[in-house]
Amino acid sequence: MSKNFTLLLFASLLMLANSAKRTPGSVGVELSIARFKADAQSYALSLEDLSAAIHNLHPNQPESINIVKTKLIYSRLAYKRIEYFLEHFFFTSSRIYNRPPKNEIEEPHLEYMEPAGMQYMEAILFDSITIESKKELVVQAGLLSHAANDLHALLYKFETNDKQILAAVRLELIRIIALGITGFDAPMLKSGIWESEVAMETIALTLKPYLDRNKHDSVFHYLGNSIMFLRNNPEFDSFDRLKFLTHYALPLQKHLNVMIREMKLDSVPPGLLRYDAAHMFSPGALQAVDSTNNKELTAKRVTLGKKLFFETRLSGNGSRSCASCHNPANYFTDGLPRSMGLNPHTSVRRNAPSLFYVASQQNQFWDGRAKTLEEQIETVMRDSLEMNAIPMQSMQNLLKDKEYKRLFKKAFPKKDKSKKAEQQIYSALAAFMRTLNPYNSDFDRYLAGDQKAMSDVQVSGFNLFMGKAQCGTCHFAPLFNGLIPPFYALTEFEVIGTTATDDLLNPKKDPDNGRMDVRATPYYEAAFKTPTVRNAAVTGPYMHNGAFTSLEKVIDFYDKGGGAGLGLDLPRQTLSPLPLNLTDQEKKDIIAFLHALTDKI
C-alpha cells in the first residue's frame, strides 16, 4: 500500500482532526471520543436494519435467512469500528454485544451469563431455523438495538488520556492478530478478514494525530500495507496469515511499541503481556513478572529448583521425583496415557502434560484447581497417588544435607516468618519451571526472519490452523494454549467431548467430570484447560486421559465436531459440533505445522 493511499484513508477525518478541541497536553483524545460517538450511532443504525431483516425472516425461505446473515455481517463490521474503544474503556458494557455464544461462568461465585449478542445470533442462524429460534433472534436484535442506542450515555463525565487511547490501540492490534484473522468472533460467517480490515482502519484513524506529531514513517508504512493486504485478500479460507504476520502486522506492532515508548506514553500491560518485547511472538512477550525483582536471587533459586526437580527425597518413600513424570529428555512428559502412581500397579488420574511454557497460563492442572505453580507443586507433593510426602519433613531431611543447606541459604537469605519453611521448596521449583520457555522451534525461527525454517506444507498448516480448521480459536497465539487474548489474564476451559478411547467409530463418553469437581456447576462438566500445542508432535499420547495415540486421531476428532459431532449426548459442549470438512491433505498440513512447533532441546 502506497503512502498516498494511506493519506486518502486519513483524509476523511482530516477536517475533524484539525477542528477538534483538545485539552492541554492531549493529542488524540478528543478526536477518538468524537469518532466513537459517530461510529456508535452507525452501529445502532446497522442493528435496526438487522432487526428489520429478522422480522422478515421465514424459516422455510433460505434467501431471507441469507439476508439476515448479510445484515449481521454489516453489524459486525460496524461494531469493529467501536470495539477498541468500547472494550477498553467500558468492558462490562461491551459484554452484551460480542461475547462467545456459550454460558460464561463468573468465578469465584459461579454466577453465569446466558448466551447473548452477535456471536450467539450467528450460532442460531447456522442451526435449523424454526419459529422459536426466530423469536430468539428477534429478542436478541431488540436487546442489542436498545443497548446500542444508549452507547453515547457511557461518555457522560468520561475522561481519559493519550496513554489510555494508545493502550486501547495496542490491545486492538492483538485482537486482530490473535482473534480477528482466526475467525474467533464469526467462525461460520467467515467475515474475520473483513472485520480485521475495518479494525485496522480504525487503528489508522486513531493513530493519525500521533503520527502527524511524531512522523514515525515505519508505523505509517506498515499500517497502510496491513490495511491493503487485508483489503486485497478478503477470502477467509485462503488468507495467507503467516505472510500477514511476518510482513505487516508484527512489524507494525514492533514499530508502534517503539513509537509509544519514545512518546513516553507507555502503560502497564494486562495479564502476562509484556510491551518491552518486540512483538507478541517474541520470546518473553507473555511472561510473569519476577516477583523478587532481583535477577541474581532468582538465578540462585533456579539453580536450587533444578536440583530439587530430580530429588527423590521430595516423595514420601524416596522413590519418585518431579522428573519421574516430567522427564526433560522426553519434553518433560513420560509418554504414558496416565503416569505411574507412587505405589506399584497404580496410575494417577490424568495424563502428565509437558512443563514447557507451564508458567504461561493462569491455572495449573487439567481442571485448573491450582492458581499458581507453587500451589500446584505443593498439591503434587501431598497427593497420595503421586508423591505422598509431608513437605515439612521433606524440608527437614533436605536441610540435613550440607549442599542443600548451602543452596537454600543462598536462594533464601532472608527468613520470612509468615511463611512455612517448606514453601521454599515450592518457590525454588516454580522458579526453575518458569525458565522452561525455549521459543526455539522452526516456527519461532521463521518468525525471527529465517524464511527457510518452515516448508511450504508447514506454512499451509499454520494458515489452516489459524483459519479454516479453527484450531487458533481455542489454542490462542502466540503460545497456542488457552490463555485468552488480548488481555492474557484468564485461561480458558472448554467442553470438547473427549471420548474414552480414540475409537471414533464406536465413541464412548469419558467419565471424568473435569473442572466440575473443582467448581460445582453443570456448565463445567467435562471442561478441561486448553493446553499448548507447542511440542505436541513429540508429547503424545493426547488429551486429559491420554486416550488418543496419534495426532491423526486428534485431528479426526476435531474434524468431526468433537464428542457431540460423533453423536454423544453433550448439550453443553462448547466446541462446535459441526464438521470442519478438512481434506486428507489439509490434515497432513496441520500436523506438519505442529511438527514445526517442536523446540530444539
PDB file of all heavy atoms in Angstrom, residues 127-142:
ATOM      1  N   ASP A 127     -27.921 -22.858  12.664  1.00  0.00           N
ATOM      2  CA  ASP A 127     -28.627 -24.056  13.093  1.00  0.00           C
ATOM      3  C   ASP A 127     -29.921 -24.134  12.292  1.00  0.00           C
ATOM      4  O   ASP A 127     -30.167 -23.310  11.401  1.00  0.00           O
ATOM      5  CB  ASP A 127     -28.919 -23.969  14.602  1.00  0.00           C
ATOM      6  CG  ASP A 127     -29.167 -25.327  15.233  1.00  0.00           C
ATOM      7  OD1 ASP A 127     -29.336 -26.300  14.472  1.00  0.00           O
ATOM      8  OD2 ASP A 127     -29.187 -25.406  16.470  1.00  0.00           O
ATOM      9  N   SER A 128     -30.753 -25.091  12.573  1.00  0.00           N
ATOM     10  CA  SER A 128     -32.034 -25.192  11.870  1.00  0.00           C
ATOM     11  C   SER A 128     -32.959 -24.070  12.349  1.00  0.00           C
ATOM     12  O   SER A 128     -33.293 -24.002  13.541  1.00  0.00           O
ATOM     13  CB  SER A 128     -32.680 -26.556  12.136  1.00  0.00           C
ATOM     14  OG  SER A 128     -31.862 -27.593  11.652  1.00  0.00           O
ATOM     15  N   ILE A 129     -33.366 -23.206  11.431  1.00  0.00           N
ATOM     16  CA  ILE A 129     -34.215 -22.076  11.800  1.00  0.00           C
ATOM     17  C   ILE A 129     -35.658 -22.549  11.989  1.00  0.00           C
ATOM     18  O   ILE A 129     -36.238 -23.213  11.125  1.00  0.00           O
ATOM     19  CB  ILE A 129     -34.162 -20.971  10.725  1.00  0.00           C
ATOM     20  CG1 ILE A 129     -32.733 -20.465  10.560  1.00  0.00           C
ATOM     21  CG2 ILE A 129     -35.090 -19.823  11.098  1.00  0.00           C
ATOM     22  CD1 ILE A 129     -32.170 -19.769  11.783  1.00  0.00           C
ATOM     23  N   THR A 130     -36.203 -22.221  13.156  1.00  0.00           N
ATOM     24  CA  THR A 130     -37.597 -22.561  13.462  1.00  0.00           C
ATOM     25  C   THR A 130     -38.320 -21.291  13.909  1.00  0.00           C
ATOM     26  O   THR A 130     -37.711 -20.227  14.036  1.00  0.00           O
ATOM     27  CB  THR A 130     -37.670 -23.591  14.601  1.00  0.00           C
ATOM     28  OG1 THR A 130     -37.116 -23.003  15.794  1.00  0.00           O
ATOM     29  CG2 THR A 130     -36.880 -24.850  14.255  1.00  0.00           C
ATOM     30  N   ILE A 131     -39.602 -21.407  14.151  1.00  0.00           N
ATOM     31  CA  ILE A 131     -40.361 -20.266  14.676  1.00  0.00           C
ATOM     32  C   ILE A 131     -39.783 -19.823  16.017  1.00  0.00           C
ATOM     33  O   ILE A 131     -39.655 -18.628  16.296  1.00  0.00           O
ATOM     34  CB  ILE A 131     -41.856 -20.636  14.835  1.00  0.00           C
ATOM     35  CG1 ILE A 131     -42.475 -20.950  13.462  1.00  0.00           C
ATOM     36  CG2 ILE A 131     -42.610 -19.501  15.515  1.00  0.00           C
ATOM     37  CD1 ILE A 131     -42.462 -19.791  12.486  1.00  0.00           C
ATOM     38  N   GLU A 132     -39.401 -20.808  16.851  1.00  0.00           N
ATOM     39  CA  GLU A 132     -38.853 -20.483  18.167  1.00  0.00           C
ATOM     40  C   GLU A 132     -37.499 -19.796  18.058  1.00  0.00           C
ATOM     41  O   GLU A 132     -37.216 -18.842  18.785  1.00  0.00           O
ATOM     42  CB  GLU A 132     -38.730 -21.756  19.024  1.00  0.00           C
ATOM     43  CG  GLU A 132     -40.062 -22.338  19.454  1.00  0.00           C
ATOM     44  CD  GLU A 132     -40.907 -21.316  20.205  1.00  0.00           C
ATOM     45  OE1 GLU A 132     -40.367 -20.668  21.136  1.00  0.00           O
ATOM     46  OE2 GLU A 132     -42.090 -21.169  19.858  1.00  0.00           O
ATOM     47  N   SER A 133     -36.645 -20.283  17.150  1.00  0.00           N
ATOM     48  CA  SER A 133     -35.330 -19.651  17.026  1.00  0.00           C
ATOM     49  C   SER A 133     -35.441 -18.263  16.406  1.00  0.00           C
ATOM     50  O   SER A 133     -34.663 -17.365  16.725  1.00  0.00           O
ATOM     51  CB  SER A 133     -34.389 -20.533  16.193  1.00  0.00           C
ATOM     52  OG  SER A 133     -34.897 -20.757  14.891  1.00  0.00           O
ATOM     53  N   LYS A 134     -36.456 -18.064  15.542  1.00  0.00           N
ATOM     54  CA  LYS A 134     -36.692 -16.721  15.028  1.00  0.00           C
ATOM     55  C   LYS A 134     -37.083 -15.783  16.166  1.00  0.00           C
ATOM     56  O   LYS A 134     -36.621 -14.638  16.230  1.00  0.00           O
ATOM     57  CB  LYS A 134     -37.780 -16.721  13.957  1.00  0.00           C
ATOM     58  CG  LYS A 134     -38.108 -15.305  13.469  1.00  0.00           C
ATOM     59  CD  LYS A 134     -39.243 -15.266  12.447  1.00  0.00           C
ATOM     60  CE  LYS A 134     -39.589 -13.821  12.096  1.00  0.00           C
ATOM     61  NZ  LYS A 134     -40.657 -13.727  11.074  1.00  0.00           N
ATOM     62  N   LYS A 135     -37.915 -16.253  17.070  1.00  0.00           N
ATOM     63  CA  LYS A 135     -38.312 -15.433  18.217  1.00  0.00           C
ATOM     64  C   LYS A 135     -37.090 -15.028  19.041  1.00  0.00           C
ATOM     65  O   LYS A 135     -36.983 -13.891  19.511  1.00  0.00           O
ATOM     66  CB  LYS A 135     -39.303 -16.195  19.100  1.00  0.00           C
ATOM     67  CG  LYS A 135     -40.692 -16.365  18.491  1.00  0.00           C
ATOM     68  CD  LYS A 135     -41.600 -17.157  19.434  1.00  0.00           C
ATOM     69  CE  LYS A 135     -42.987 -17.338  18.837  1.00  0.00           C
ATOM     70  NZ  LYS A 135     -43.871 -18.146  19.735  1.00  0.00           N
ATOM     71  N   GLU A 136     -36.158 -15.983  19.209  1.00  0.00           N
ATOM     72  CA  GLU A 136     -34.944 -15.673  19.971  1.00  0.00           C
ATOM     73  C   GLU A 136     -34.090 -14.635  19.239  1.00  0.00           C
ATOM     74  O   GLU A 136     -33.512 -13.746  19.867  1.00  0.00           O
ATOM     75  CB  GLU A 136     -34.139 -16.955  20.214  1.00  0.00           C
ATOM     76  CG  GLU A 136     -32.867 -16.761  21.028  1.00  0.00           C
ATOM     77  CD  GLU A 136     -33.115 -16.261  22.436  1.00  0.00           C
ATOM     78  OE1 GLU A 136     -34.272 -16.323  22.913  1.00  0.00           O
ATOM     79  OE2 GLU A 136     -32.153 -15.800  23.089  1.00  0.00           O
ATOM     80  N   LEU A 137     -34.025 -14.725  17.911  1.00  0.00           N
ATOM     81  CA  LEU A 137     -33.297 -13.720  17.132  1.00  0.00           C
ATOM     82  C   LEU A 137     -33.937 -12.345  17.277  1.00  0.00           C
ATOM     83  O   LEU A 137     -33.234 -11.331  17.387  1.00  0.00           O
ATOM     84  CB  LEU A 137     -33.264 -14.128  15.653  1.00  0.00           C
ATOM     85  CG  LEU A 137     -32.322 -15.271  15.275  1.00  0.00           C
ATOM     86  CD1 LEU A 137     -32.593 -15.722  13.843  1.00  0.00           C
ATOM     87  CD2 LEU A 137     -30.864 -14.850  15.429  1.00  0.00           C
ATOM     88  N   VAL A 138     -35.272 -12.302  17.274  1.00  0.00           N
ATOM     89  CA  VAL A 138     -35.982 -11.029  17.462  1.00  0.00           C
ATOM     90  C   VAL A 138     -35.637 -10.434  18.820  1.00  0.00           C
ATOM     91  O   VAL A 138     -35.348  -9.238  18.944  1.00  0.00           O
ATOM     92  CB  VAL A 138     -37.510 -11.239  17.340  1.00  0.00           C
ATOM     93  CG1 VAL A 138     -38.250  -9.975  17.779  1.00  0.00           C
ATOM     94  CG2 VAL A 138     -37.886 -11.587  15.900  1.00  0.00           C
ATOM     95  N   VAL A 139     -35.626 -11.267  19.851  1.00  0.00           N
ATOM     96  CA  VAL A 139     -35.298 -10.804  21.201  1.00  0.00           C
ATOM     97  C   VAL A 139     -33.865 -10.269  21.255  1.00  0.00           C
ATOM     98  O   VAL A 139     -33.610  -9.176  21.783  1.00  0.00           O
ATOM     99  CB  VAL A 139     -35.479 -11.942  22.226  1.00  0.00           C
ATOM    100  CG1 VAL A 139     -34.887 -11.543  23.578  1.00  0.00           C
ATOM    101  CG2 VAL A 139     -36.947 -12.292  22.376  1.00  0.00           C
ATOM    102  N   GLN A 140     -32.926 -11.038  20.685  1.00  0.00           N
ATOM    103  CA  GLN A 140     -31.526 -10.621  20.720  1.00  0.00           C
ATOM    104  C   GLN A 140     -31.304  -9.314  19.958  1.00  0.00           C
ATOM    105  O   GLN A 140     -30.601  -8.412  20.434  1.00  0.00           O
ATOM    106  CB  GLN A 140     -30.636 -11.717  20.127  1.00  0.00           C
ATOM    107  CG  GLN A 140     -30.516 -12.956  20.992  1.00  0.00           C
ATOM    108  CD  GLN A 140     -29.843 -12.667  22.323  1.00  0.00           C
ATOM    109  OE1 GLN A 140     -28.853 -11.940  22.402  1.00  0.00           O
ATOM    110  NE2 GLN A 140     -30.392 -13.226  23.392  1.00  0.00           N
ATOM    111  N   ALA A 141     -31.914  -9.196  18.789  1.00  0.00           N
ATOM    112  CA  ALA A 141     -31.766  -7.972  17.997  1.00  0.00           C
ATOM    113  C   ALA A 141     -32.340  -6.776  18.747  1.00  0.00           C
ATOM    114  O   ALA A 141     -31.766  -5.678  18.724  1.00  0.00           O
ATOM    115  CB  ALA A 141     -32.443  -8.139  16.644  1.00  0.00           C
ATOM    116  N   GLY A 142     -33.467  -6.988  19.409  1.00  0.00           N
ATOM    117  CA  GLY A 142     -34.081  -5.909  20.176  1.00  0.00           C
ATOM    118  C   GLY A 142     -33.206  -5.462  21.335  1.00  0.00           C
ATOM    119  O   GLY A 142     -33.039  -4.255  21.580  1.00  0.00           O
TER     120      GLY A 142
END
